[in-house]
């Protein structure tokens, strides 16, 4: 006979403690008795303000990642501390404004209220709309208006701190001189065809020397030795039974894809009223104007009036007329959704019909893929149970439809299962001895993996990579020969020497700035160019060829050019804003250091727990 269970008083005690704790927060959680997380000076920091700041920060970071992040992830990024710092800083400034006697009157507050769109009615600001909006947000009018009053006072304080910071014109002038100063150059390419002698092949001694000097080129990267089991819809596609009735039903549901009515390529020229449209059509019929000229008269282009391919139903009242027209014919005017218009029919697109028989193979495969994904989804829980019971990857392959595989994975591995982003992410982070879990693939498949070990970076034996070593040595020797040949040619170039007299094909570039890009040049080209003096000639290494460059002229920017003036003004304003921000940050830090801040960490933790 089974023993009777003893009363579990410990569990009831825990429940009681929890209930007592929750009672302190009110029946609605933190919106009940506890409304503040602390004080800054004489200002309270409300729970609601911290919640709003935290929500805003999480939404912003989620938007950057393109997916909603969890609160645990937000905490890992320090977002909760950032939100807390934000609300504390604002209340610090509110307290400082209050201490300095900065405030705004009711009239200023009402001006702000009238400017908020959500409080507007048919005749402007609507008090009933205002009341309902606040009621829905759980705020009172007094609280909301106090917030506006404090925000406006805080803005005045901030403005007083940063106003009067002058734009640093000397800095802007120096920067615009640096950025907009230009160069005129002549340059040409020297490559292997310009060599006077062939590059010899790599001897065994040369190969050995290159191999010894460049071991990184022939070292295999660290490899993670992974065993995995996976299952994708494609693997079981042939096992899925798709009834003919399901295929026919899907075909009928998507009949618009398979039966497309006759269509026309059409241009539409809209007029403001019927009289002007009639007049234009009369001029067209009399040969006084072409359709293109009518379009140009309206200040439009043919692209602006192009409707693309349309059906008779798309054209509405103009459908019959346009579909009866010959290619190139203009008909109308007909009413359109934009007004009376002339229509030119440019081409006939015949009806396109894909029969059920023709569509069946693709539809059957699509339905089979859906069925396979559903099957995998249904089987996932059972596979998870197997893993929980200690099943290995080999066990999964033996007891389920999953297939076993191994791979020595590196970031360069992209074949097979490594083509999936989810697998690559898991392979890069899995730890040896970690408990395997089921992970979804983008196509509806699943996989699990274990890390068997890590092979450290390994230098391949010379005999295994001798061909690659020889090719690398020859490429290096050829480039050295090209650079030497370019130096020989460059020695004969003077400020007025024509490049073509030396057998070169010159390219002349004018007005190059530090932001310019010259196609066919290496990334450091501008650095070299702006380090040269007028008349100087240099040889630039361009990987598999060389560039001979002569600097012909240096031009200062035209300070009367509107674009240069705008750039200088933008630089000055950006610098002014940066200085103002630094001044404000220093001021805010000083205020925070002399303002007492008391925060209740237990309340903050309770707010965080709600997320």
């Amino acid at each position: 006979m089974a023993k009777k269970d003893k009363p579990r008083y410990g569990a009831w005690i825990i429940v009681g403690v929890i209930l007592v704790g929750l009672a302190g927060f009110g029946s609605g959680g933190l919106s009940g008795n506890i409304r503040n997380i602390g004080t800054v000076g004489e200002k309270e920091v409300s729970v609601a303000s911290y919640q709003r700041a935290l929500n805003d920060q999480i939404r912003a970071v989620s938007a950057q990642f393109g997916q909603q992040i969890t609160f645990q992830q937000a905490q890992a990024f320090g977002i909760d501390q950032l939100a807390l710092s934000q609300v504390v800083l604002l209340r610090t400034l509110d307290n400082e404004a209050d201490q300095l006697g900065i405030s705004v009157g009711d009239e200023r507050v009402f001006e702000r209220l009238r400017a908020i769109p959500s409080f507007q009615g048919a005749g402007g600001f609507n008090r009933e709309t205002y009341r309902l909006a606040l009621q829905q947000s759980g705020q009172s009018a007094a609280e909301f208006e106090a917030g506006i009053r404090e925000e406006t006072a805080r803005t005045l304080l901030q403005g007083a701190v940063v106003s009067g910071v002058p734009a640093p014109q000397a800095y802007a002038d120096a920067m615009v001189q640096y950025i907009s100063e230009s160069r005129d150059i002549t340059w040409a390419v020297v490559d292997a065809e310009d060599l006077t002698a062939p590059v010899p092949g790599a001897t065994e001694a040369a190969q050995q020397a290159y191999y010894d000097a460049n071991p990184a080129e022939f070292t295999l990267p660290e490899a993670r030795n992974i065993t995995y089991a996976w299952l994708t819809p494609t693997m079981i596609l042939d096992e899925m039974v798709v009834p003919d009735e399901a295929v026919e039903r899907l075909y009928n549901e998507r009949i618009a894809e398979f039966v497309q009515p006759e269509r026309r390529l059409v241009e539409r020229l809209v007029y403001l009223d019927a009289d002007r449209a009639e007049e234009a059509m009369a001029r067209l019929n009399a040969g006084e104007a072409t359709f293109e000229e009518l379009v140009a008269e309206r200040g439009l282009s043919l692209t602006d009036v192009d409707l693309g391919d349309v059906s008779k139903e798309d054209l509405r009242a103009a459908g019959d007329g346009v579909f009866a027209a010959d290619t190139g014919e203009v008909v109308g005017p007909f009413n359109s959704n934009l007004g009376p218009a002339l229509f030119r029919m440019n081409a006939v697109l015949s009806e396109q019909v894909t029969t059920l028989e023709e569509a069946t193979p693709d539809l059957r495969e699509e339905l089979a893929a859906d069925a396979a994904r559903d099957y995998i989804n249904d089987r996932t829980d059972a596979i998870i149970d197997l893993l929980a019971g200690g099943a290995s990857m080999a066990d999964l392959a033996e007891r389920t439809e999953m297939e076993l595989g191994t791979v020595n994975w590196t970031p360069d591995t992209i074949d097979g299962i490594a083509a999936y982003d989810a697998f690559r992410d898991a392979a890069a982070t899995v730890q040896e001895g970690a408990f395997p879990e089921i992970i979804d693939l983008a196509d509806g498949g699943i996989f699990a993996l274990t890390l068997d070990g890590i092979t450290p970076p390994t230098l391949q034996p010379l005999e295994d990579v001798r061909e690659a070593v020889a090719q690398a040595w020859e490429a290096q020797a050829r480039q050295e020969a090209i650079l030497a040949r370019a130096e020989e040619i460059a020695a004969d170039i003077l400020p007025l020497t024509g490049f073509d007299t030396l057998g070169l094909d010159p390219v002349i570039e004018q007005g190059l700035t530090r932001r310019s890009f010259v196609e066919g040049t290496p990334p450091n080209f501008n650095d070299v160019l702006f380090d040269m003096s007028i008349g100087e000639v240099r040889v630039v290494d361009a990987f598999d060829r060389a560039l001979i460059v002569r600097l012909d002229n240096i031009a200062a920017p035209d300070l009367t050019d509107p674009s240069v003036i705008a750039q200088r003004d933008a630089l000055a304003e950006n610098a002014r804003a940066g200085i103002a921000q630094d001044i404000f940050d220093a001021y805010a830090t000083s205020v925070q250091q002399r303002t007492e801040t008391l925060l209740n960490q237990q309340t903050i933790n309770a707010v965080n727990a709600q997320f």
Side-chain angles (χ1 to χ4, degrees):
M1 185 174 182
K3 293 183 179 179
K4 186 176 181 179
D5 290 341
K6 296 181 179 179
R8 300 181 179 180
Y9 297 115
W12 286 108
I13 291 172
I14 294 173
V15 172
V17 170
I18 292 173
L19 291 174
V20 170
L22 289 175
F25 294 99
S27 60
L30 287 168
S31 61
N33 298 329
I34 297 180
R35 304 180 63 84
N36 302 306
I37 62 172
T39 59
V40 177
E42 297 180 3
K43 295 291 184 179
E44 294 178 336
V45 183
S46 70
V47 167
S49 65
Y50 174 57
Q51 287 175 322
R52 283 194 299 270
L54 192 49
N55 268 320
D56 290 344
Q57 291 288 350
I58 291 175
R59 277 197 297 268
V61 174
S62 296
Q64 292 178 1
F65 283 111
Q67 63 181 27
Q68 183 65 37
I69 66 170
T70 65
F71 181 72
Q72 288 72 22
Q73 291 171 318
Q75 280 190 310
F77 295 142
I79 293 174
D80 57 330
Q81 293 302 312
L82 181 62
L84 183 60
S85 300
Q86 183 184 69
V87 295
V88 168
L89 173 60
L90 293 180
R91 295 308 275 163
T92 302
L93 296 175
D94 291 339
N95 183 75
E96 182 70 5
D98 202 31
Q99 294 294 317
L100 294 173
I102 301 174
S103 63
V104 294
D106 293 340
E107 185 177 347
R108 185 70 177 273
V109 172
F110 186 58
E111 287 178 3
R112 291 287 305 277
L113 289 177
R114 286 188 300 184
I116 298 175
S118 57
F119 300 155
Q120 305 299 309
F125 177 75
N126 186 290
R127 289 192 175 278
E128 184 62 20
T129 303
Y130 172 52
R131 185 187 66 79
L132 290 174
L134 291 183
Q135 185 178 16
Q136 291 174 353
S137 65
Q139 299 182 76
S140 68
E143 290 174 332
F144 186 74
E145 290 167 15
I148 289 181
R149 200 181 305 275
E150 289 180 333
E151 180 187 348
T152 307
R154 184 170 66 243
T155 302
L156 291 173
L157 174 62
Q158 291 173 302
V161 173
V162 302
S163 64
V165 176
Q169 293 298 336
Y171 164 82
D173 290 341
M175 286 300 296
V176 81
Q177 287 278 356
Y178 178 82
I179 293 171
S180 299
E181 188 179 65
S182 65
R183 302 289 191 270
D184 298 341
I185 64 170
T186 302
W187 65 284
V189 174
V190 176
D191 56 25
E193 294 182 359
D194 297 299
L195 296 178
T196 57
V199 176
T203 62
E204 288 193 5
Q207 293 174 22
Q208 183 68 56
Y210 188 89
Y211 175 82
D212 293 339
N214 301 278
E217 291 185 32
F218 311 105
T219 298
L220 294 175
E222 177 183 277
R224 298 171 70 82
N225 310 318
I226 290 172
T227 298
Y228 62 90
W230 67 322
L231 178 62
T232 68
T234 303
M235 294 177 184
I236 57 175
L237 204 61
D238 294 340
E239 301 174 22
M240 300 297 107
V241 178
V242 179
D244 293 338
E245 295 79 4
V247 175
E248 185 175 358
R249 183 166 55 252
L250 183 59
Y251 176 84
N252 291 329
E253 289 173 357
R254 291 163 46 184
I255 192 66
E257 294 180 27
F258 304 111
V259 179
Q260 297 185 0
E262 194 174 277
R263 302 172 74 81
R264 297 290 188 270
L265 292 180
V266 178
E267 293 164 330
R268 179 186 63 187
L269 181 59
V270 180
Y271 284 87
L272 298 177
D273 55 56
D275 291 340
R276 296 185 186 184
E278 291 283 1
E279 180 186 350
M281 190 64 188
R283 291 174 57 204
L284 191 69
N285 290 333
E288 298 174 359
T290 64
F291 186 78
E292 288 80 1
E293 290 171 342
L294 293 177
V295 171
E297 288 175 3
R298 297 297 316 280
L300 303 172
S301 67
L302 291 178
T303 302
D304 297 326
V305 300
D306 185 15
L307 291 182
D309 61 295
V310 293
S311 67
K312 183 182 290 189
E313 290 73 20
D314 294 333
L315 294 170
R316 301 181 181 178
D320 290 335
V322 172
F323 269 65
D326 295 327
T327 301
E329 183 179 356
V330 179
V331 295
F334 298 112
N335 286 328
S336 73
N337 58 340
L338 297 179
L342 305 184
F343 294 81
R344 180 163 71 174
M345 198 281 286
N346 293 315
V348 175
L349 301 180
S350 301
E351 179 185 33
Q352 296 181 358
V353 177
T354 302
T355 65
L356 173 60
E357 183 179 0
E358 293 169 336
T360 291
D362 289 339
L363 292 177
R364 189 180 298 279
E365 183 175 344
E366 181 180 334
L367 289 170
D370 289 342
R373 282 188 285 271
D374 290 341
Y375 179 82
I376 293 172
N377 186 57
D378 292 340
R379 291 282 290 146
T380 298
D381 286 344
I383 296 173
I384 291 174
D385 290 342
L386 289 175
L387 286 176
S392 66
M393 298 299 104
D395 294 333
L396 293 184
E398 181 180 349
R399 300 170 63 177
T400 73
E401 296 86 347
M402 299 182 80
E403 295 183 4
L404 186 67
T406 59
V407 60
N408 293 328
W409 183 85
T410 72
D412 296 328
T413 308
I414 57 173
D415 297 326
I417 193 173
Y420 292 88
D421 290 338
F423 179 84
R424 291 197 296 271
D425 292 342
T429 57
V430 64
Q431 298 298 313
E432 195 166 358
F435 187 81
E437 60 182 20
I438 292 296
I439 302 174
D440 295 328
L441 294 170
D443 60 359
I446 56 174
F447 74 95
L449 79 169
T450 56
L451 179 64
D452 303 325
I454 296 178
T455 302
T458 305
L459 177 63
Q460 302 174 84
L462 174 59
E463 290 307 317
D464 293 348
V465 293
R466 187 172 292 281
E467 184 177 350
V469 172
Q471 292 175 353
W473 181 92
E474 290 170 7
Q476 176 179 281
R478 183 166 53 252
Q479 183 62 8
E480 289 173 352
I482 290 172
L483 290 171
R485 177 59 181 153
E487 292 287 358
E488 291 177 10
I489 299 173
D492 295 328
I493 296 178
L494 300 174
L496 298 179
T497 302
F499 277 42
D500 53 347
T501 62
L502 299 176
L504 299 174
D505 186 12
V507 179
I508 297 175
E509 305 280 359
Q510 295 181 325
L512 298 178
T513 68
R514 285 179 169 83
R515 295 178 175 179
S516 298
F517 170 74
V518 180
E519 187 174 356
T521 62
N524 68 332
F525 185 71
N526 277 7
D527 294 336
V528 173
L529 182 60
F530 280 82
D531 188 46
M532 296 171 63
S533 56
I534 294 177
E536 184 179 358
V537 179
R538 288 196 188 180
V539 172
V540 180
D541 189 342
F543 307 116
D544 60 349
R545 55 187 188 157
L547 308 181
I548 299 177
V549 184
R550 182 181 65 199
L551 180 61
D552 298 325
N553 188 44
I554 297 176
D558 180 4
L559 298 180
T560 63
D561 187 324
S563 64
V564 175
I565 294 174
Q567 186 177 53
R568 181 183 58 193
D569 291 346
L571 288 167
E573 177 55 28
N574 287 341
R576 188 205 65 77
I579 295 171
Q581 184 62 50
D582 290 342
I583 291 174
F584 179 76
D585 290 344
Y587 171 76
T589 300
S590 174
V591 173
Q592 283 188 295
Q593 288 174 346
R594 55 184 168 81
T595 303
E596 184 179 26
T597 300
L598 299 174
L599 299 177
N600 187 325
Q601 189 59 48
Q602 288 183 332
T603 305
I604 294 170
N605 292 341
V607 176
N608 292 344
Q610 288 191 329
F611 283 84

